[in-house]
Amino acid sequence: MMFIAGPLKLALATIHHALFDVRNKFTIGCVFEPIDLLNDALQEYFDIKNPRIGVAALNPHAGDDGQFGDEEKRIIQPAIELAREQGINCEGPYPADSMFVKAAKGEFDGVVAMYHDQGMIPVKLLASETAVNVTIGLPIIRTSPAHGTAFDIAGDNIANPSV
């Protein structure tokens, strides 16, 4: 999943998992893949030759040297190194509370969040009614409103077609 919300272009490392279950899904591969896919999407869809990608930390203060978890050193940093070996310009892991501010100001061309709400909170704050979900990594372009397709109200004549 990639979301475009005003100046923010964001991909998710894990999607639609209970926060408690993220720890069981959290691997180097699940962090590397959205970095790689986001890099390709930024080049292909936005014509950014060498995108600068910021990668969020999982834990507060990016783990604070292991005081709040070791996932930054054990999983996220190796994924970033793997991406750099592939020629991807990415940096991190950064504490999410400061990284998204930098991203919204244009310091990154795209960012990777570690879990759903970590990424969706800034997306919805910046562009709740206009953000777009682009499914990256497919051979076709697939988009939908970031707030969802509203199948629950389909046919009820109550959807707002302007958002």
Side-chain angles (χ1 to χ4, degrees):
M1 295 179 124
M2 173 184 175
F3 293 90
I4 302 159
L8 183 63
K9 294 166 189 70
L10 172 131
L12 299 172
T14 63
I15 56 174
H16 299 130
H17 299 295
L19 187 55
F20 186 77
D21 292 335
V22 166
R23 68 184 176 157
N24 298 321
K25 309 286 184 187
F26 203 63
T27 64
I28 293 169
C30 88
V31 176
F32 170 77
E33 184 177 34
I35 296 170
D36 186 40
L37 291 172
L38 180 61
N39 184 67
D40 289 349
L42 291 170
Q43 290 176 347
E44 184 176 344
Y45 302 149
F46 296 94
D47 201 30
I48 302 171
K49 302 293 183 215
N50 187 27
R52 183 174 176 206
I53 297 173
V55 180
L58 176 68
N59 296 300
H61 306 283
D64 226 356
D65 290 323
Q67 290 184 16
F68 303 119
D70 67 350
E71 291 83 4
E72 285 72 23
K73 289 184 180 180
R74 190 170 46 84
I75 296 171
I76 301 171
Q77 192 61 48
I80 291 169
E81 292 302 322
L82 182 61
R84 287 179 181 159
E85 288 171 9
Q86 302 295 314
I88 298 172
N89 180 12
C90 61
E91 305 172 14
Y94 293 115
D97 61 352
S98 59
M99 186 191 72
F100 288 112
V101 173
K102 292 178 182 182
K105 291 180 180 179
E107 292 183 36
F108 299 108
D109 298 306
V111 295
V112 176
M114 294 301 109
Y115 57 93
H116 185 274
D117 284 10
Q118 184 186 51
M120 294 312 296
I121 291 169
V123 164
K124 291 182 179 183
L125 277 170
L126 289 171
S128 63
E129 294 183 351
T130 59
V132 175
N133 174 355
V134 179
T135 305
I136 53 179
L138 297 177
I140 59 166
I141 296 174
R142 185 255 175 216
T143 64
S144 68
H147 57 66
T149 53
F151 285 129
D152 58 323
I153 60 171
D156 292 342
N157 202 28
I158 59 174
N160 181 350
S162 69
V163 297

